Every structure is written in structure tokens, then in C-alpha cells.
Amino acid sequence: MFITKIRKNKFEVVVICIAFLISIIWSLYNINNFDNNKINFKGNWYNQLIYADIGHKWRKADDFRKKLNDGESFFEALPIYEKYFLPNIIVGYYYYIIDKEIYEKKPNGQRVIKVDNNKIGLLLAQIIFFYISVIFFASQLKKKVDPLLYKLIIFFLCLEPSIIQWHSTFWTESIFLSLMVILFSLLIKKKDKFIINLFIGIIVGLMFAQRSVSFLYILPILILYFLNFKLNIKPYLFLIIGYSLIVLPIGYNNFKKTGNFHFLSKDHQYYSFYHYFAHVIKADRQKISKQEAKEILLKEEKNWIKNNKIDIKIFDDYVKNIDYRNKIFLKELFENPIFFLKLYTKKIITMSIINPLWTHEHYYYDKSDPESYLNPKKYYHKNLYKSIIYSLFLYPFVILGVFFFIKKIFIRERITEFDFFLIFNIFSILYYLFISGLWGNPKYFAPCMISTIFFFSIGLKKIIIFFQKNKEIKG
């Protein structure tokens, strides 16, 4: 029976096996070549494989592991939601289970992530998780679309380079994308049974726990719910309950450890739009350099802190400082809206450049390198033209797919449940562009790529059918 099932689903088995093998080989390559401890331009040790934002995640994971080793219960040891939450737990618990140290000390007393401490196990686990999620998605998709479109979607979901690259790294994207694929599998089912909608809410909550950018991702899902269920209240209710089962405990855990009930990471809010963009908008408005604008804002903030006797080491004062920063950013935005819109558009375009080697390139970056802040465009975009060429290959098919889909909606052809799902995917892409677009980082386009694959496949299918018909006519 098992052999018969494999033969029946030969296409999926072959594609997933090839993709799985590529991910394993890529993981071994990364471990063998980049699991090295080096010294940066400031004289600090770092692990080339786990650096920058990933390093912060592993520091918190090590704190979690140590608390478990010291006898604290799982819930007592849970970290607060700072930059990351679920990734800290996964890494920390993994090393607690295998009883391995995460860090070692160098002769100068600096701590650095150990080399050869079974990191491959984490990569293997997330690779398996992703392709299990694809198998689940394939089982649902097969019932909703024709065989050609089905094969194209599964093929590119498994093997498209800008997606597959994440599974062999320690960034948060791989597990996030796996959760997203599971979510899409459940959304395609379109059932008002309470357990399905409850589980959808839980998955959205876990996506938020994995990456805070998904805190409001429930909004595009509610649009799909309205298309499918109209005013039937039960599906909405169980969706919210499932979401709350994850989000409320996170808020309570933060409250227990900070005295402030909150969901979103305060560090994310502190180093947010104000930190990165307020001085850019101000510089354009006042026709001064960005550095001058930054110094003016810094001076004003210091005066505000002094006059209001703010101590950011106290959590409540830290929150007040965040509120101050948000107000100043909005003030700058409303005083220079045209420039802001131009900046936002430019950043969204940059974010939407599909980079299939983003993770590989970042093994060679070092934020302490003087060139990284003296000439950031040149330093971080050395291979930009390659990404543009790759993007120019994909986007014509995506645009074609979107065109034919919108045409179908407007001429009011028979609208299927899968069409509602595609409408949701348009809103999903717009959501991530709106939330992350201002950073202009192709890394943040990763969730959009899952949705983009559907429209790419529709466009490619139209081209394939066109050439098949031409061949038949000539034959």
C-alpha cells in the first residue's frame, strides 16, 4: 500500500527528495566552511556562521538553557519577548536536551559560540519540518487546482533558491516559512469546523512568536474569512481563541518578568522607525546632512530625558521613551510626507529584489568593517546586479499571473475557493511590504516569496499552454 502511494505521488516524492538532499548538502557546506571563530575589525571574537542578529538570539538561548540546567521549570525559564521569542526557546532547548555548551571563552575572556557543537542537528530539524509542511500543503493543494499548476507550485516551492537558502542557515526564516506553509494548507481547506479554525489561530500565534513582524498578520486572514464565511461568527471566534492561546501567555510572561503586560518586543519598538529614519526625513526637510539631523534629534532626546527625569533602565520609563520616539517620527513624517512616500517606494522596490544568495553573502559581511558604514551601498550591494537579473527573470511571469487572475475576477468567471485564497495572498504580500518595506532589505521579502510562487506558477502555466497550442497548430 505504501509503495502504491509513492508511485501515485511520484512527482512529489522526487521533487521533495531532491530538495531535501540539496538542503542537507547546503547545510553541510555552510557548517564546514563558516562555522569558524574570527576576530572582527574592533578586535572582538565572533562566529562567522552565527553573527549579528542571530548572535543576539543565541545569547538569549544560552540564558534559557542555563536556567533549565539550574533547575528552573520550563515556564519559569522562558525568556521575555525581546528581539526573538520562539527561536530562543528552540535553540536553548535543543542544547539543553543534547547537554552541550553553546559558548566558550577565549584567552582574553571574550565569549564566542563554540565550533563543532552539533549545530547540524538544528538545521536537520528545520529542513525536515519544512518538507513535512510542504507534503501537508501538497495534499490540500492537489484537490483545488489542475495538475499542471499543482506541479509548478510544488516544484518552485521546494526548489526556488531564494526560499530554499533559508533552510541551511540559523536565521529565523526557515521555521517561519514552514509555519506559513502549514497555515496556507489549513486556509485552503476552508472548513468552519472549530478545530481547524482554532489551529489556524494557533499557527498565526506561533508565527508571531517566531517573528514579531506577524503580530497583525491575522488581518489579511480575516479578509479571507469574510470571503469564505461572510457573517458566520463561529470561524472568527475560534480563530481569535486560537491566536489568543499563544499571544496572551506571551504577554503574561512579559508581565511576570517586567511588570508590564505587552506583546510586542520593546527593543523592536525602541530601535524602530525613529531610530533608522527620523533623521533621514529631517535631513531632507531642513536641507542638512543626515549626521547633523541625527545629532539634533539626539540632543533633543537627551534634553527630554533630562527634563522628564527618565531612566531607561526602568521598564516604565523605557516605554515612555519609546512613546516619545514614535511621536517625533510621526511629526517628521507629517512635516515631510512627499519625501517619505518617495523613500518608502524606493525601499519597497529594493526589498522586492529577489536575492537567491542573500544568506551566503552575509557570511562575508562585518558591521565593524569601516567600509560598511563609510560606503554601505557599495559594501552591502556588491552583487546587486545578479539579484536584479534573477528578479527580471521571475517577475514577468509573476506580473502575467497577477494579470490573468485579476482579469478572471473582473470578467466574473466562476470564482473558486482557490481564487479567494489567491486574493488573500495579494493582501499577504501587501501586508509584509507595508510592515517591512521601509527597511528595504530583501531578507524581509521571504514571506512574500511563498505567495509570489502562486502567481509565478499561474503566469508560467499560461506560457506553457500557449506554446503547447502553437505546437499543436503547427503539427
Side-chain angles (χ1 to χ4, degrees):
M1 187 177 179
F2 179 70
I3 300 297
T4 305
K5 201 167 184 179
I6 289 179
R7 285 175 181 167
K8 188 179 178 182
N9 300 289
K10 187 178 178 181
F11 170 80
E12 299 93 316
V13 172
V14 171
V15 170
I16 290 173
C17 285
I18 291 172
F20 184 84
L21 186 61
I22 291 172
S23 296
I24 294 294
I25 293 170
W26 203 337
S27 297
L28 292 171
Y29 172 83
N30 286 341
I31 293 285
N32 291 334
N33 288 275
F34 302 112
D35 190 14
N36 307 307
N37 287 335
K38 304 175 75 173
I39 297 176
N40 67 15
F41 280 80
K42 291 183 178 179
N44 297 321
W45 283 96
Y46 73 98
N47 186 289
Q48 193 178 4
L49 195 64
I50 300 161
Y51 192 33
D53 283 351
I54 316 179
H56 180 277
K57 174 179 76 176
W58 283 55
R59 285 193 296 275
K60 296 300 177 182
D62 195 45
D63 292 341
F64 177 58
R65 181 193 65 85
K66 284 178 179 176
K67 288 178 181 179
L68 292 173
N69 278 336
D70 291 342
E72 290 190 29
S73 71
F74 179 86
F75 293 104
E76 288 174 335
L78 282 176
I80 63 170
Y81 199 149
E82 292 181 339
K83 279 192 173 183
Y84 303 102
F85 184 69
L86 188 57
N88 302 345
I89 296 168
I90 292 169
V91 174
Y93 204 68
Y94 169 76
Y95 277 103
Y96 170 71
I97 290 171
I98 67 172
D99 195 24
K100 293 278 186 181
E101 295 286 334
I102 296 178
Y103 283 86
E104 64 181 359
K105 275 193 176 181
K106 291 296 182 182
N108 63 358
Q110 288 183 4
R111 293 170 74 239
V112 66
I113 291 170
K114 292 184 72 172
V115 173
D116 298 328
N117 60 344
N118 297 105
K119 297 180 185 71
I120 191 65
L122 282 166
L123 297 182
L124 181 61
Q126 69 183 23
I127 289 168
I128 292 170
F129 183 42
F130 180 77
Y131 291 109
I132 287 175
S133 72
V134 170
I135 291 169
F136 180 42
F137 178 69
S139 69
Q140 302 304 315
L141 182 68
K142 203 167 195 175
K143 306 168 188 175
K144 303 293 182 180
V145 298
D146 63 80
L148 176 57
L149 183 57
Y150 166 77
K151 288 181 178 180
L152 289 173
I153 291 171
I154 297 302
F155 180 85
F156 286 101
L157 185 60
C158 289
L159 291 168
E160 197 282 316
S162 73
I163 294 175
I164 199 174
Q165 65 176 324
W166 300 108
H167 311 322
S168 302
T169 75
F170 295 98
W171 292 94
T172 59
E173 272 69 19
S174 179
I175 290 175
F176 183 83
L177 296 179
S178 300
L179 291 169
M180 197 171 186
V181 172
I182 293 172
L183 173 69
F184 284 9
S185 308
L186 295 169
L187 292 176
I188 286 177
K189 287 177 77 72
K190 193 231 163 184
K191 290 193 176 174
D192 59 0
K193 290 182 179 178
F194 84 92
I195 193 67
I196 298 293
N197 295 289
L198 185 74
F199 199 53
I200 287 172
I202 290 171
I203 295 296
V204 180
L206 289 173
M207 287 172 66
F208 163 65
Q210 182 70 9
R211 289 190 61 200
S212 61
V213 71
S214 287
F215 181 62
L216 294 175
Y217 193 59
I218 200 166
L219 296 179
I221 293 171
L222 288 173
I223 293 172
L224 178 61
Y225 267 51
F226 179 75
L227 293 173
N228 280 329
F229 304 119
K230 301 299 185 285
L231 298 179
N232 180 2
I233 198 68
K234 281 201 302 184
Y236 298 89
L237 178 62
F238 287 109
L239 169 70
I240 300 298
I241 290 173
Y243 185 58
S244 300
L245 287 175
I246 302 296
V247 175
L248 289 179
I250 289 174
Y252 180 67
N253 179 65
N254 290 340
F255 171 73
K256 278 182 65 180
K257 289 161 186 175
T258 68
N260 183 284
F261 190 92
H262 64 279
F263 307 112
L264 284 173
S265 158
K266 292 303 176 186
D267 280 356
H268 270 127
Q269 295 178 62
Y270 187 81
Y271 296 103
S272 188
F273 297 112
Y274 169 91
H275 180 78
Y276 291 102
F277 307 111
H279 68 286
V280 178
I281 302 170
K282 188 179 189 69
D284 177 81
R285 182 170 61 84
Q286 297 189 349
K287 307 305 177 190
I288 57 178
S289 71
K290 293 176 185 177
Q291 185 59 38
E292 287 176 305
K294 185 178 284 189
E295 288 171 2
I296 292 170
L297 288 173
L298 182 62
K299 184 178 179 181
E300 290 174 351
E301 185 177 11
K302 282 182 177 179
N303 288 336
W304 177 84
I305 288 172
K306 183 179 178 182
N307 294 336
N308 290 275
K309 298 178 181 178
I310 298 293
D311 182 358
I312 62 170
K313 292 179 181 178
I314 299 171
F315 193 86
D316 286 344
D317 282 2
Y318 190 52
V319 173
K320 289 177 183 176
N321 201 171
I322 291 170
D323 290 339
Y324 166 84
R325 288 182 158 214
N326 290 338
K327 287 175 184 175
I328 296 298
F329 171 75
L330 289 173
K331 176 177 173 289
E332 291 296 335
L333 188 159
F334 287 122
E335 288 183 357
N336 198 1
I338 302 300
F339 173 79
F340 174 76
L341 287 173
K342 288 179 180 177
L343 176 67
Y344 208 163
T345 303
K346 180 182 175 182
K347 292 287 187 177
I348 284 175
I349 292 170
T350 305
M351 172 186 166
S352 303
I353 296 172
I354 303 167
N355 188 343
L357 292 173
W358 190 95
T359 58
H360 181 78
E361 291 171 3
H362 276 68
Y363 293 134
Y364 298 98
Y365 292 153
D366 179 357
K367 287 185 178 180
S368 67
D369 185 337
E371 191 182 352
S372 71
Y373 47 86
L374 292 175
N375 194 354
K377 286 185 179 179
K378 182 180 177 182
Y379 186 79
Y380 289 109
H381 299 293
K382 293 172 184 174
N383 298 308
L384 181 63
Y385 70 96
K386 294 180 182 177
S387 299
I388 291 174
I389 291 170
Y390 182 66
S391 300
L392 289 174
F393 165 72
L394 290 183
Y395 275 125
F397 295 103
V398 176
I399 293 167
L400 192 64
V402 172
F403 170 77
F404 278 107
F405 173 66
I406 292 176
K407 181 183 174 184
K408 178 182 179 180
I409 298 297
F410 273 96
I411 64 175
R412 297 181 180 274
E413 283 187 28
R414 189 176 67 87
I415 306 301
T416 66
E417 292 174 7
F418 188 70
D419 292 325
F420 287 156
F421 175 71
L422 290 176
I423 292 171
F424 156 74
N425 274 275
I426 290 174
F427 281 103
S428 177
I429 293 170
L430 292 174
Y431 170 85
Y432 287 112
L433 289 177
F434 176 77
I435 296 291
S436 306
L438 200 49
W439 272 265
N441 191 336
K443 171 180 180 285
Y444 299 135
F445 195 71
C448 299
M449 274 307 298
I450 301 294
S451 298
T452 300
I453 286 296
F454 301 126
F455 297 103
F456 171 83
S457 300
I458 291 170
L460 183 56
K461 174 194 163 186
K462 292 291 183 181
I463 295 295
I464 291 171
I465 291 173
F466 173 78
F467 280 109
Q468 283 178 343
K469 285 181 178 178
N470 274 2
K471 189 176 179 182
E472 287 171 7
I473 292 169
K474 288 178 182 178

